[in-house]
Amino acid sequence: MKKILFGLGVSASFLFGAEMTKVVFDCAAKDMKFVASRMFLIEETAKELKAAHKPYEMVLTIHSGCTPIVSEEVGDDEVKKGISKRLKTLHDQYGVKIEACEIALERFGIEKSDLFPYVGSVRNSITRVIELQNQGYAFIPYH
């Protein structure tokens, strides 16, 4: 009986003691090659946490020069096509929540209907980042 209780205690501490890793990646960069490299690093981070069975929540906020990456209008740009594929992977395989700034969307003339279906929007990405930081999310800027 003692062994069973000890086992349950160890299991409970493992299940409930795993600290949630929370991070907000904030993309404002205009250089698409730089943006592509940062999307790769987000995926590598998610892979590492997933492989280690560490719970995580990731949010990618997009504004300023980075805004065009959320539009389905990619054109012939191979770098943007690669970023688009990576964004879908981040969302589908790693549960990364992707949020575009509505102020930036308006500035770039991007309609919400032009967004990839897995991209949400927030009115102001700055206030969103503040909110997430106040909730304990680590802030990783890509500017």
Side-chain angles (χ1 to χ4, degrees):
M1 181 68 163
K2 287 182 182 179
K3 287 182 181 179
I4 292 172
L5 289 175
F6 177 76
L8 286 174
V10 169
S11 296
S13 66
F14 176 74
L15 290 174
F16 299 110
E19 189 173 331
M20 176 71 70
T21 297
K22 300 189 297 185
V23 60
V24 55
F25 298 98
D26 184 60
C27 188
K30 184 178 181 178
D31 178 345
M32 289 299 123
K33 288 183 181 179
F34 175 75
V35 170
S37 72
R38 300 306 95 176
M39 297 304 124
F40 169 79
L41 290 175
I42 294 171
E43 184 175 353
E44 289 301 304
T45 303
K47 279 182 189 176
E48 182 178 330
L49 292 170
K50 194 172 185 178
H53 303 289
K54 292 182 179 180
Y56 64 88
E57 292 179 7
M58 293 183 175
V59 178
L60 171 58
T61 57
I62 298 173
H63 60 99
S64 299
C66 194
T67 304
I69 71 169
V70 297
S71 173
E72 289 186 329
E73 301 298 321
V74 177
D76 293 332
D77 187 320
E78 291 302 318
V79 175
K80 285 184 183 177
K81 285 180 183 178
I83 292 170
S84 299
K85 289 178 185 176
R86 179 115 29 219
L87 288 175
K88 183 162 178 38
T89 298
L90 289 171
H91 176 268
D92 292 351
Q93 292 184 17
Y94 300 103
V96 176
K97 188 173 183 181
I98 303 167
E99 301 175 342
C101 177
E102 291 174 8
I103 296 169
L105 292 173
E106 290 170 12
R107 183 174 154 237
F108 281 89
I110 300 171
E111 300 291 328
K112 286 185 187 179
S113 60
D114 294 331
L115 298 177
F116 292 113
Y118 49 84
V119 174
S121 67
V122 294
R123 179 68 199 137
N124 182 337
S125 65
I126 293 173
T127 55
R128 178 64 172 148
V129 168
I130 292 167
E131 175 185 294
L132 291 169
Q133 284 186 291
N134 286 338
Q135 293 174 14
Y137 283 69
F139 175 61
I140 310 295
Y142 294 146
H143 299 157

